Amino acid sequence: MTQLHWLLPGSTEFPPTELAFQEPNGLLAAGGDLSPAQLIAAYQRGIFPWFDDSQPILWWSPDPRLVLFPNELHISKSMAKLLRRKTFSVSTDKAFLRVLHACAEARPGQDGTWITQDIINAYTQLHDLGYAHSVEVWQDDQLVGGLYGIAMGRIFFGESMFSRRSNASKVGFIHLVTALQRLDFALIDCQVHTGHLASMGAREIDRQTFENYLLNCINRRAPMASWPESLD
C-alpha cells in the first residue's frame, strides 16, 4: 500500500508528482505549512493545498488537469449580450480580502469550506508579495462576484470564485481571461473538471503536459511584473 508523504514545516521539497495517488486523484503529500516559501515552491511544481479544518494540510497534483488556454475562451451569445449591457463593472486587486472571505462562505449543500482562516492569512501574504491577485465584480457599488488566484510568469493558477448575482463570476472570469490574453499568458490552471469552466472552453490535459508548460512559462525569480490595475 502506498504511504502518504509527510512534509516538514518550511520544506520546499515535494515528492515527485508521479507518486500522487490515483484515488483520491492527485493526493500527493500532507503536513508542512502555508508559508510563502512552501506555497511558492508548490505552485512552481503545479501542486496546491486543499483541505478542511478537520484535516492536516493536504497537497494535490491531479491527473488529468483542467486548464484554459486564453485564446480558447468560449463566450456564449447570452454572455456576450450581458457583457454589452455593462450591467457589471470589474476591477483587480481592489478588495482582495473581501473576495477571499466571500469565496470562503459556505455554498448551498455544503457544510463548510476549505478556505480556512489559515488559508486566508497565507494567501494575503502572497498578495502582499505580488503573487496572489483578485478580480472583483461590482453592481451599484456592491461586490457581487469575484475570484482569486496566483500569477507566476505566464501562468495563472485559479483558486476559487463566488457569485452573488447570476453570471457575476462568469463576467469576472471572462474579463480576467481577456486581460491575460493581452499579457500573453500561456494558460490558466483550473485544477479539476467542472461543467461551469468546461462550458467556457476549459479542457483537460495530462499531468506531464501541464508540468511542461510550468517549466517553460514560470519565472521562478519574481512575481508577475505587470498586473492590470483595472479590467474595465
Side-chain angles (χ1 to χ4, degrees), residues 98-168:
R98 289 178 65 185
V99 169
L100 260 66
H101 281 288
C103 288
E105 294 173 358
R107 314 292 170 88
Q110 294 181 346
D111 294 331
T113 176
W114 67 272
I115 303 175
T116 63
Q117 188 59 50
D118 286 344
I119 286 284
I120 291 172
N121 293 342
Y123 283 79
T124 299
Q125 289 186 67
L126 290 182
H127 176 63
D128 293 340
L129 292 170
Y131 288 98
H133 300 279
S134 60
V135 174
E136 303 90 19
V137 182
W138 308 88
Q139 184 177 29
D140 300 327
D141 296 323
Q142 298 293 314
L143 182 64
V144 296
L147 61 94
Y148 76 95
I150 305 295
M152 287 187 179
R154 296 172 58 223
I155 308 290
F156 186 85
F157 301 87
E159 279 298 316
S160 186
M161 61 176 62
F162 78 98
S163 188
R164 293 171 177 162
R165 298 285 190 279
S166 179
N167 292 316

Side-chain angles (χ1 to χ4, degrees), residues 22-207:
Q22 292 184 347
E23 182 60 42
N25 180 18
L27 179 59
L28 177 66
D33 59 31
L34 297 172
S35 64
Q38 196 155 48
L39 284 168
I40 290 167
Y43 279 101
Q44 287 173 343
R45 297 273 307 280
I47 299 163
F48 59 88
W50 184 36
F51 62 100
D52 62 40
D53 274 334
S54 68
Q55 300 169 320
I57 301 171
L58 301 176
W59 302 90
W60 302 78
S61 173
D63 187 15
R65 191 83 168 218
L66 188 73
V67 303
L68 176 69
F69 295 93
N71 62 357
E72 294 183 1
L73 173 67
H74 172 71
I75 301 175
S76 67
K77 291 182 179 179
S78 60
M79 280 303 303
K81 186 181 297 185
L82 177 63
L83 292 168
R84 286 195 297 270
R85 290 196 201 111
K86 297 189 179 297
T87 303
F88 304 106
S89 61
V90 184
S91 63
T92 58
D93 287 343
K94 301 299 183 186
F96 182 82
L97 194 56
R98 289 178 65 185
V99 169
L100 260 66
H101 281 288
C103 288
E105 294 173 358
R107 314 292 170 88
Q110 294 181 346
D111 294 331
T113 176
W114 67 272
I115 303 175
T116 63
Q117 188 59 50
D118 286 344
I119 286 284
I120 291 172
N121 293 342
Y123 283 79
T124 299
Q125 289 186 67
L126 290 182
H127 176 63
D128 293 340
L129 292 170
Y131 288 98
H133 300 279
S134 60
V135 174
E136 303 90 19
V137 182
W138 308 88
Q139 184 177 29
D140 300 327
D141 296 323
Q142 298 293 314
L143 182 64
V144 296
L147 61 94
Y148 76 95
I150 305 295
M152 287 187 179
R154 296 172 58 223
I155 308 290
F156 186 85
F157 301 87
E159 279 298 316
S160 186
M161 61 176 62
F162 78 98
S163 188
R164 293 171 177 162
R165 298 285 190 279
S166 179
N167 292 316
S169 63
K170 283 187 176 182
V171 169
F173 186 72
I174 289 169
H175 277 76
L176 170 69
V177 176
T178 55
L180 296 183
Q181 288 174 351
R182 297 192 298 270
L183 293 167
D184 193 33
F185 267 57
L187 62 78
I188 299 166
D189 173 31
C190 303
Q191 297 181 347
V192 295
H193 185 275
T194 70
H196 176 76
L197 292 171
S199 71
M200 301 178 74
R203 57 185 171 93
E204 292 181 330
I205 60 176
D206 63 75
R207 180 190 288 131

